[in-house]
């Protein structure tokens, strides 16, 4: 599967364009899948970061998410494709499943191995890359902490896999729908800046 370029959604995109890409993806057209992945990959990664997942693992889970969706389409198990909802839900499921598996493995091991088991590291990944990933996660988490409590709550409700409608998020936090959308834009911008920031 092609590595997503994570390009921003073009300002001229329309609902018709989205519907056409979805139709073509459901028909198995790879270029349509690539366009949708490029459009929504970053959002899936950010939703995983909001769950406390490391940057490198968040990207891996996001890649697995798209691979699963494409496999389901190829097997005729994907009657409709509602994005980004479906991708966010799939990613949240994979993250939760991995957390449960890691928890079971850690409980079965010696107590002194618990910290390492809870933070598994791929031995094939260089120390420099692991350090960079940890620094990126720290920057992303710091960016979230800089947001107000209400902004953090809005982001969690909208992007942690529940993918609640903006109207429902607004009702839960006592804000207008317009304000909820504005907050989401602001938080995502902070996270993008944190992830793209050059390491010192």
């Amino acid at each position: 599967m092609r590595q997503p370029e994570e390009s921003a959604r073009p300002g001229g995109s329309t609902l018709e364009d989205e519907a056409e890409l979805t139709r073509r993806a459901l028909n198995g057209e790879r270029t349509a899948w690539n366009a949708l992945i490029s459009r929504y990959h970053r959002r899936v990664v950010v939703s995983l970061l909001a769950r406390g997942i490391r940057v490198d693992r968040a990207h891996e889970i996001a890649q697995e998410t798209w691979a699963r969706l494409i496999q389901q389409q190829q097997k005729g198990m994907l009657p409709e494709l509602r994005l980004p909802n479906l991708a966010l839900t799939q990613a949240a499921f994979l993250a939760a499943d991995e957390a449960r598996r890691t928890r079971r493995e850690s409980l079965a091991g010696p107590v002194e191995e618990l910290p390492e088991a809870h933070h598994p590291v791929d031995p094939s990944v260089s120390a420099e890359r692991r350090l960079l990933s940890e620094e990126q996660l720290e920057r992303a988490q710091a960016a979230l902490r800089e947001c107000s409590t209400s902004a953090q709550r809005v982001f969690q409700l909208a992007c942690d896999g529940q993918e609640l409608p903006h109207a429902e998020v607004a009702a839960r936090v006592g804000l207008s729908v317009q304000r909820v959308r504005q907050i989401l834009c602001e938080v995502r911008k902070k996270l993008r800046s944190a992830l793209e920031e050059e390491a010192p």
Side-chain angles (χ1 to χ4, degrees):
M1 183 172 58
R2 185 173 69 89
Q3 174 68 26
E5 297 175 358
E6 299 183 15
S7 59
R9 180 169 181 171
S13 294
T14 64
L15 291 176
E16 290 77 13
D17 171 54
E18 182 83 7
E20 176 63 13
L21 281 176
T22 298
R23 183 190 67 76
R24 287 161 50 196
L26 285 173
N27 285 332
E29 187 176 320
R30 184 51 60 91
T31 56
W33 273 110
N34 288 341
L36 290 170
I37 292 170
S38 180
R39 180 173 294 182
Y40 293 117
H41 182 77
R42 183 184 295 277
R43 185 165 179 182
V44 174
V45 170
V46 169
S47 74
L48 292 167
L49 291 175
R51 300 171 70 91
I53 296 173
R54 297 180 312 179
V55 174
D56 57 339
R57 189 61 190 135
H59 279 283
E60 291 171 356
I61 293 176
Q63 288 282 15
E64 177 66 15
T65 292
W66 297 116
R68 292 284 186 94
L69 293 181
I70 291 174
Q71 288 172 0
Q72 290 171 22
Q73 178 272 317
Q74 293 174 339
K75 294 178 180 179
M77 301 168 59
L78 199 64
E80 60 180 352
L81 184 60
R82 295 184 178 181
L83 295 175
N85 303 42
L86 186 60
L88 291 169
T89 300
Q90 178 70 65
F93 171 80
L94 291 174
D97 185 61
E98 178 176 275
R100 286 191 296 269
R101 185 171 60 254
T102 300
R103 177 64 176 168
R104 287 196 299 269
E105 292 173 354
S106 68
L107 290 177
V111 174
E112 60 270 17
E113 295 181 3
L114 285 178
E116 181 67 18
H118 278 291
H119 301 279
V121 173
D122 184 348
S124 66
V125 178
S126 69
E128 290 81 7
R129 181 176 170 186
R130 289 199 300 269
L131 179 60
L132 175 61
S133 295
E134 290 169 1
E135 290 175 347
Q136 287 176 318
L137 177 57
E138 289 175 1
R139 292 200 298 268
Q141 291 176 330
L144 281 174
R145 287 194 297 270
E146 289 175 0
C147 299
S148 67
T149 302
S150 62
Q152 292 180 44
R153 176 63 174 160
V154 167
F155 184 78
Q156 289 169 355
L157 289 173
C159 301
D160 70 350
Q162 297 182 59
E163 187 60 19
L164 296 178
H166 290 172
E168 185 171 345
V169 174
R172 291 197 183 192
V173 298
L175 298 171
S176 67
V177 174
Q178 181 178 359
R179 179 55 183 155
V180 163
R181 290 172 178 163
Q182 181 182 4
I183 287 173
L184 288 174
C185 287
E186 293 171 351
V187 174
R188 288 176 182 138
K189 183 176 180 180
K190 278 180 175 290
L191 286 172
R192 282 197 298 270
S193 297
L195 291 177
E196 294 168 357
E197 178 183 336
E198 291 291 337

